[in-house]
Amino acid sequence: MRTLNDYFIYGKIEDVSTAGQIYIPVPDDGKIIKIMSALNGAIGTADAVLTAKINGTAVTGGAITIANSSSAAGDQDSCTPSAANHVAEGDKLEIETNGASSNTVSVDVCVVVRR
């Protein structure tokens, strides 16, 4: 159950199988308590790894591995950051994909921030 002090930041990576990143502006101060992903199709060849960064610094425990084995649309994965996870209003939140997988598949990301 979420508290009223939680807010959510959403992003979409259009092709998880191509190395790159998306940037999402942070609207308010807080601590990232969870990062979740939902895959929109099957990936192949290798696992895809999503890494969260704040202003270019990696969030400790902020990596999600999306397994290619038996992957399918709707697969959900998550991580619980443990350090370097405080954000301030105006920070730049980055979600990076390593691009190791194959198939052009998008992935939606939800970042939970607790004020």
Side-chain angles (χ1 to χ4, degrees), residues 83-95:
N85 55 340
H86 290 275
V87 293
E89 181 178 347
D91 277 352
K92 175 177 56 181
L93 178 61
E94 176 182 349
I95 306 294

Side-chain angles (χ1 to χ4, degrees), residues 26-49:
V26 175
D28 200 6
D29 296 0
K31 178 180 174 183
I32 298 172
I33 61 168
K34 189 165 192 172
I35 304 171
M36 301 174 281
S37 69
L39 194 61
N40 291 294
I43 58 172
T45 307
D47 296 346
V49 178

Side-chain angles (χ1 to χ4, degrees), residues 45-84:
T45 307
D47 296 346
V49 178
L50 305 180
T51 304
K53 297 179 180 179
I54 301 167
N55 298 324
T57 301
V59 174
T60 304
I64 295 174
T65 299
I66 302 171
N68 77 56
S69 178
S70 301
S71 66
D75 284 358
Q76 297 181 40
D77 295 287
S78 65
C79 65
T80 304
S82 58

Side-chain angles (χ1 to χ4, degrees), residues 7-11 24-28 32 87 93 109-113:
Y7 72 91
F8 309 92
I9 301 173
Y10 298 95
I24 308 166
V26 175
D28 200 6
I32 298 172
V87 293
L93 178 61
V109 178
C110 176
V111 179
V112 182
V113 180

